[in-house]
Amino acid sequence: MVEHIVLLKFSKEATQSQKEELIQNTYGLKDVIPGIVDLQQGFNFSDRNNGFEVGLTVRFEDRDSLNNYGPHPSHQAIAAYLKEIGVEDSIIVDFETR
């Protein structure tokens, strides 16, 4: 298994409803992209968040599934929406689990 973790920091222009729409749309990826075992996303409530408001975890069957995720048209649509609403920064971590 491969874990894919993404933390997102938004510009001040991004609205709460846009962030909620992002989360709703992202959940749909697990129904259309092969190799996704699980997908979770939500708002960060930690007071240690350093401005990162949304977290995403995606569990993939293997590295090939992760590699196919990035260029998939449905993932690209989410990436385009992120740019549209204004992502200021992101942290991405990928690792294999035992």
Side-chain angles (χ1 to χ4, degrees):
M1 296 281 179
V2 171
E3 295 288 337
H4 174 68
I5 299 171
V6 179
L7 303 175
L8 299 170
K9 186 184 293 187
F10 296 91
S11 69
K12 292 182 173 123
E13 290 77 30
T15 67
Q16 185 67 21
S17 66
Q18 288 173 318
K19 296 171 199 173
E20 290 170 2
E21 182 177 347
L22 166 72
I23 290 171
Q24 183 65 35
N25 291 344
T26 301
Y27 270 107
L29 295 178
K30 65 182 169 184
D31 297 325
V32 296
I33 299 180
I36 293 178
V37 175
D38 186 47
L39 185 150
Q40 300 296 320
Q41 187 172 38
F43 290 102
N44 187 354
F45 59 83
S46 171
D47 60 358
R48 302 170 292 159
N49 62 32
N50 293 325
F52 289 91
E53 299 178 62
V54 171
L56 166 72
T57 62
V58 185
R59 179 171 292 149
F60 292 96
E61 293 174 355
D62 51 31
R63 283 188 185 200
D64 286 339
S65 298
L66 172 61
N67 291 336
N68 293 330
Y69 169 77
H72 191 282
S74 295
H75 177 262
Q76 288 299 306
I78 296 292
Y81 185 70
L82 282 169
K83 288 180 185 175
E84 178 184 324
I85 67 173
V87 170
E88 186 176 293
D89 197 5
S90 64
I91 297 174
I92 300 169
V93 177
D94 299 314
F95 60 91
E96 289 184 302
T97 60
R98 297 180 190 188

